[in-house]
Amino acid sequence: MEEEIHSKMERVPGTATYAEIVSQPTAWAEAVDVVVARAEELRQLLDASGFEEVVFTGCGSSYYLSLAAAALWQELLALPARGVPAGELCLYPAASYPASTRRTLLVAVSRSGTTTETVTAVQRFRQGRHGDVVTISNDPHSVLAGLGDVLLAIPAGQEESVAQTRSFASMYVAVTAMVLALAEEAATLEALPALPEAGQALLKAAEPLVRQWGEDLGLDRFYFLGSGPRYGLACEANLKMKEMTLTHSEPFHFLEFRHGPMSMVTNSAAIVGFLSDAHYQEEMRVLREMAELGGRVLSLAEDGADLSFRSGLPRGARNVLYLPPLQLMAYYRALAKGLDPDRPQNLSAVVSLDLAP
Ligand code: F1P
């Protein structure tokens, strides 16, 4: 009888997604702890192996995380780094890896640790003896978790929903902590434990505005602008808008937007800018020009934006803060469109394939 009543209770759409978004700062704390505990192992791996370049890889959200990670790594460690889709490493390895003689560190990112292309890319990388592997996953017992020379596992980031939110941010914080540890940016690394509190405060402060934007169905297209280490994050925000709300959206590097895509700006277009400290004026100029064309502009930054984090954290510690407000915006837009963000159309949480050998 009780099961019957329980099964009849309507599942409220988006329940899991909302819970995962607002709880994510807890998973960020675990990510920092995990990396700090493995920092010496990571330093030894980097020092001992004479790597000439780093390749970050993953699929979907995890590929976009790889793009953000590679830019951060290259900016702080001055060692060549690239983000490559795992599917490309599987199908076109020669186009992805440098000459086979170069020592490469492969960093493989996967929430599930079971995505076929990512696991296969690591297996083939090992067979080709290209170098060593760091794996980053929310499932410490996954296939991928067992393939790394060093594993950074953040189980607190695991989630029910298909679209990554808490998982992505937890793995991104782990990557941030890893780069800061290897770059010996001690002061910024030591500031990371304050990140979860800043995230909680931002979620609370930002919710009314992003709910208003999410529920404004007069907007029919979204453009996410981000440069340097923020471009990969703009790609991830873009994917949330697609996965959760079935809305046409695209990410661009800030200055690139003028070179054609801005032709699409109308008064039903949202242009969301991930403003940096270093190039705030240049980037804000792009947003102002788009507002003059009639676009609806939303800026995010540490300060001086529509959504200002005011975290007080050093620049290298706070890039993850761009994500929670935009995850919430996609959540509210999905509900306003009568969709269930917990179960995006056409998608599954993990893509499993039979890849040709
Ligand atoms: C990768 C992924 C997600 C995507 C969707 C399907 O999963 O492609 O990025 O948003 O949920 O799976 P994983 O390798 O990170 O588990």
Side-chain angles (χ1 to χ4, degrees):
M1 180 62 180
E2 196 181 304
E3 274 114 57
E4 211 176 289
I5 295 168
H6 191 72
S7 64
K8 285 210 172 74
M9 274 170 68
E10 278 301 299
R11 210 184 60 80
V12 176
T15 308
T17 300
Y18 187 83
E20 288 151 3
I21 291 171
V22 299
S23 67
Q24 66 185 294
T26 309
W28 302 358
E30 182 182 75
V32 175
D33 293 345
V34 164
V35 173
V36 169
R38 313 300 294 266
E40 196 40 46
E41 253 181 279
L42 288 163
R43 285 192 193 96
Q44 284 168 11
L45 185 71
L46 191 66
D47 294 348
S49 311
F51 297 119
E52 295 165 280
E53 81 151 5
V54 184
V55 172
F56 289 86
T57 195
C59 297
S61 293
S62 301
Y63 163 56
Y64 299 131
L65 200 161
S66 300
L67 286 178
L72 194 64
W73 177 292
Q74 189 152 301
E75 195 174 64
L76 291 184
L77 282 159
L79 183 65
R82 286 177 299 133
V84 181
E88 292 298 293
L89 293 182
C90 295
L91 299 184
Y92 300 96
S96 306
Y97 294 122
S100 57
T101 51
R102 285 184 77 181
R103 293 278 301 157
T104 300
L105 175 66
L106 181 67
V107 183
V109 182
S110 175
R111 166 180 66 179
S112 63
T114 59
T115 297
T116 302
E117 300 100 303
T118 310
V119 170
T120 304
V122 173
Q123 290 168 335
R124 292 181 182 176
F125 178 87
R126 284 205 171 288
Q127 286 155 12
R129 299 188 188 290
H130 291 286
D132 295 322
V133 180
V134 172
T135 51
I136 301 176
S137 180
N138 295 120
D139 184 341
H141 309 299
S142 61
V143 175
L144 186 80
L147 294 174
D149 296 289
V150 177
L151 164 64
L152 302 178
I154 311 105
Q158 287 181 355
E159 56 204 348
E160 272 175 61
S161 306
V162 171
Q164 293 195 18
T165 51
R166 176 170 71 192
S167 58
F168 181 97
S170 69
M171 294 191 287
Y172 179 73
V173 169
V175 161
T176 301
M178 174 175 74
V179 175
L180 292 172
L182 294 174
E184 298 184 357
E185 293 276 341
T188 308
L189 185 62
E190 280 152 24
L192 285 183
L195 194 54
E197 190 183 338
Q200 290 292 11
L202 176 62
L203 276 161
K204 196 166 168 3
E207 185 156 14
L209 181 61
V210 294
R211 177 168 188 167
Q212 191 187 328
W213 275 73
E215 293 176 347
D216 181 349
L217 297 185
L219 295 167
D220 65 3
R221 64 197 74 178
F222 284 74
Y223 300 105
F224 297 92
L225 309 186
S227 290
R230 284 160 299 282
Y231 174 66
L233 302 181
C235 292
E236 170 58 10
N238 169 68
L239 184 61
K240 290 308 94 142
M241 195 49 77
K242 280 191 169 66
E243 288 178 330
M244 290 195 211
T245 81
L246 309 182
T247 302
H248 289 288
S249 57
E250 275 188 275
F252 291 97
H253 297 88
F254 259 103
L255 303 189
E256 269 299 293
F257 195 58
R258 290 194 183 99
H259 296 271
M262 76 176 192
S263 59
M264 294 296 289
V265 174
T266 65
N267 60 12
S268 62
I271 301 97
V272 180
F274 291 46
L275 294 170
S276 66
D277 295 16
H279 303 291
Y280 176 93
Q281 295 304 335
E282 277 299 283
E283 293 164 348
M284 183 57 101
R285 186 174 304 152
V286 174
L287 297 183
R288 286 202 186 100
E289 288 172 17
M290 299 315 137
E292 282 158 21
L293 293 176
R296 297 273 309 283
V297 164
L298 180 70
S299 58
L300 290 88
E302 172 67 7
D303 236 326
D306 298 315
L307 273 178
S308 294
F309 311 145
R310 295 199 183 89
S311 69
L313 293 169
R315 188 172 59 174
R318 50 177 148 85
N319 278 329
V320 70
L321 295 178
Y322 291 94
L323 290 174
L326 300 178
Q327 293 166 348
L328 268 186
M329 180 162 73
Y331 163 79
Y332 280 113
R333 183 172 173 87
L335 296 188
K337 290 184 73 173
L339 300 168
D340 181 356
D342 291 353
R343 299 176 175 158
Q345 179 177 280
N346 304 337
L347 297 184
S348 59
V350 181
V351 174
S352 299
L353 308 167
D354 285 327
L355 272 184

